[in-house]
Amino acid sequence: ILNVEQSPQSLHVQEGDSTNFTCSFPSSNFYALHWYRWETAKSPEALFVMTLNGDEKKKGRISATLNTKEGYSYLYIKGSQPEDSATYLCAYHNTDKLIFGTGTRLQVFP
Amino acid sequence: GAVVSQHPSWVICKSGTSVKIECRSLDFQATTMFWYRQFPKQSLMLMATSNEGSKATYEQGVEKDKFLINHASLTLSTLTVTSAHPEDSSFYICSAPFPGLAGGSTYEQYFGPGTRLTVT
């Protein structure tokens, strides 16, 4: 069974705080690791697709790192804003398909 | 970025009836589309891969005669839940791959907004 685990399940932070979440995935048959941002009633939005061990990607205040050997990825948000409130999904892409975690639900309070 | 639409956004139907959900890629062509299902507090689970011009590929445990998939064109895939039952109540969401910045065949997935199906 291929499991993708995300932690924490939910997170409440104050505006301006920096935060990070973890995605753990199988280290075998690795092809890519995807991060998505999913706001309620909207489509999941692709943040990053990461393929190489040691990869670091950044988009504005959001960045992600990848360790394929140990099977984890971190997503960081610097200086959280209320508009960052969403569920953040990761998905492990093996040669066959995407396998999703259950997500980390982030709420940022003003 | 690429846009995928899905219709309807929510539907309520009676047990035993069939429901059709449409997934459209609005500004790009998609020879492949994916259909996922999400039950409460669970992850998105791939149900099937829809292939334009050929039969869909179903994941283990997904009944192909119950969940009919038709990829009629390069921009449209439909999922029909036949003889729906309350246990089919779920959130159904489609996606289409689009070549991303990672290059090669590591495609970003563009998702529709999903369809909430309630079977009474």
Side-chain angles (χ1 to χ4, degrees):
Chain A
I1 297 176
L2 299 174
N3 266 341
V4 176
E5 305 283 343
Q6 287 189 251
S7 63
Q9 284 190 344
S10 65
L11 199 51
H12 301 138
V13 302
Q14 286 292 129
E15 182 175 357
D17 287 350
S18 293
T19 187
N20 65 85
F21 343 120
T22 305
C23 173
S24 301
F25 54 88
S27 52
S28 58
N29 295 321
F30 177 85
Y31 199 68
L33 193 284
H34 296 235
W35 279 101
Y36 293 88
R37 179 174 177 276
W38 195 1
E39 288 183 74
T40 303
K42 294 186 178 180
S43 303
E45 172 198 352
L47 289 174
F48 305 113
V49 179
M50 307 174 77
T51 56
L52 299 175
N53 184 44
D55 231 356
E56 289 188 34
K57 293 210 171 180
K58 188 174 180 182
K59 186 184 284 190
R61 294 178 290 100
I62 304 177
S63 60
T65 61
L66 179 67
N67 183 322
T68 60
K69 292 184 179 177
E70 295 180 42
Y72 66 84
S73 175
Y74 293 134
L75 187 81
Y76 300 92
I77 302 179
K78 186 177 176 183
S80 304
Q81 299 296 309
E83 57 265 29
D84 296 328
S85 297
T87 296
Y88 291 82
L89 295 177
C90 73
Y92 155 73
H93 186 173
N94 63 12
T95 51
D96 194 25
K97 60 187 178 186
L98 287 182
I99 300 166
F100 283 84
T102 51
T104 293
R105 185 177 175 85
L106 172 68
Q107 282 191 282
V108 183
F109 294 104
Chain B
V3 178
V4 174
S5 71
Q6 201 170 326
H7 178 80
S9 54
W10 59 271
V11 58
I12 300 173
C13 71
K14 290 189 176 179
S15 190
T17 61
S18 295
V19 173
K20 182 186 281 190
I21 303 170
E22 291 187 349
C23 178
R24 291 182 188 272
S25 56
L26 297 186
D27 50 1
F28 66 102
Q29 293 183 333
T31 55
T32 300
M33 289 184 177
F34 300 98
W35 287 97
Y36 294 86
R37 180 169 55 181
Q38 185 182 38
F39 292 107
K41 297 193 185 299
Q42 295 186 24
S43 60
L44 293 174
M45 293 291 290
L46 181 65
M47 297 175 66
T49 302
S50 170
N51 302 298
E52 191 269 336
S54 64
K55 290 183 180 179
T57 306
Y58 290 82
E59 295 299 301
Q60 193 172 9
V62 178
E63 299 174 55
K64 62 181 181 181
D65 294 332
K66 181 169 184 62
F67 298 100
L68 299 179
I69 289 173
N70 185 352
H71 201 131
S73 73
L74 287 171
T75 58
L76 173 64
S77 174
T78 59
L79 169 68
T80 301
V81 183
T82 62
S83 186
H85 289 285
E87 56 266 31
D88 299 322
S89 297
S90 187
F91 184 77
Y92 293 85
I93 190 167
C94 67
S95 73
F98 187 86
L101 294 176
S105 59
T106 311
Y107 294 96
E108 292 182 352
Q109 295 280 338
Y110 286 88
F111 283 85
T115 298
R116 173 74 58 194
L117 170 64
T118 302
V119 185
T120 60

